[in-house]
Amino acid sequence: AKPNSDKNIETLGMIGGKLSRNKFTITHLLIPKQTGKSDRCDLENYEELGDTYDREDIILVGWIHTHPAYDVFLSSVDMHNQYEYQNMLPEFIAVVCSIKFNETGSLRLTDQGMKEIGDCNLENFHPHSKNPPLFEVASHVTVDHGLDVV
């Protein structure tokens, strides 16, 4: 993601995992074909990504993207993307990496966020209410810092 971030372009990845003992464990990070801009990135060829998930026998459990110039939050576009996935899998997470502030957060829509975004038909960037909050830290996520990333 560094070459894109250096050019102020967002990068996204899709997070895959497995279900065992009633919890999801992240096992894969896939970087799909995409088009990035300073304030968004769009996935291309979703079917190819689905084929990879089928072949690897993994479940789509989240997505990750960079904010080269912003902090950790979900924009209206991010919230609409998150809604589509979280509506199918309530545990689905959005990981946001703020390059400028060197912070990373795992986020999810709140119940109010699910309702408001689910009722919204607007596209692209547009305002949403801020109180009560529409997204929150995904408290169901735990990180095992003892694992090796390969």
Side-chain angles (χ1 to χ4, degrees), residues 20-31:
S20 176
R21 297 183 188 173
N22 206 30
K23 74 175 184 177
F24 290 106
T25 300
I26 293 172
T27 58
H28 291 70
L29 172 63
L30 302 175
I31 308 300

Side-chain angles (χ1 to χ4, degrees), residues 17-127:
K18 303 216 178 228
L19 180 62
S20 176
R21 297 183 188 173
N22 206 30
K23 74 175 184 177
F24 290 106
T25 300
I26 293 172
T27 58
H28 291 70
L29 172 63
L30 302 175
I31 308 300
K33 293 177 185 171
Q34 58 194 272
T35 303
K37 298 180 181 177
S38 64
D39 58 2
R40 70 182 300 149
C41 43
D42 296 305
L43 178 71
E44 296 177 4
N45 201 347
Y46 194 83
E47 295 77 21
E48 186 176 297
L49 187 65
D51 290 344
T52 301
Y53 275 81
D54 288 344
R55 187 174 54 255
E56 297 291 327
D57 193 29
I58 54 177
I59 301 166
L60 182 62
V61 296
W63 65 300
I64 183 170
H65 72 287
T66 60
H67 280 179
Y70 305 107
D71 61 0
V72 173
F73 73 100
L74 293 179
S75 70
S76 58
V77 170
D78 296 340
M79 287 191 285
H80 281 266
N81 288 336
Q82 178 66 17
Y83 173 83
E84 296 300 326
Y85 294 111
Q86 192 175 321
N87 194 42
M88 293 184 287
L89 181 66
E91 298 86 356
F92 198 88
I93 59 171
V95 177
V96 181
C97 302
S98 168
I99 305 305
K100 182 177 181 178
F101 297 103
N102 195 29
E103 296 176 342
T104 301
S106 299
L107 307 172
R108 66 183 307 277
L109 294 177
T110 61
D111 290 343
Q112 179 62 31
M114 290 297 290
K115 179 178 180 349
E116 184 169 325
I117 301 302
D119 290 342
C120 179
N121 294 318
L122 299 176
E123 295 182 11
N124 296 312
F125 292 99
H126 54 277

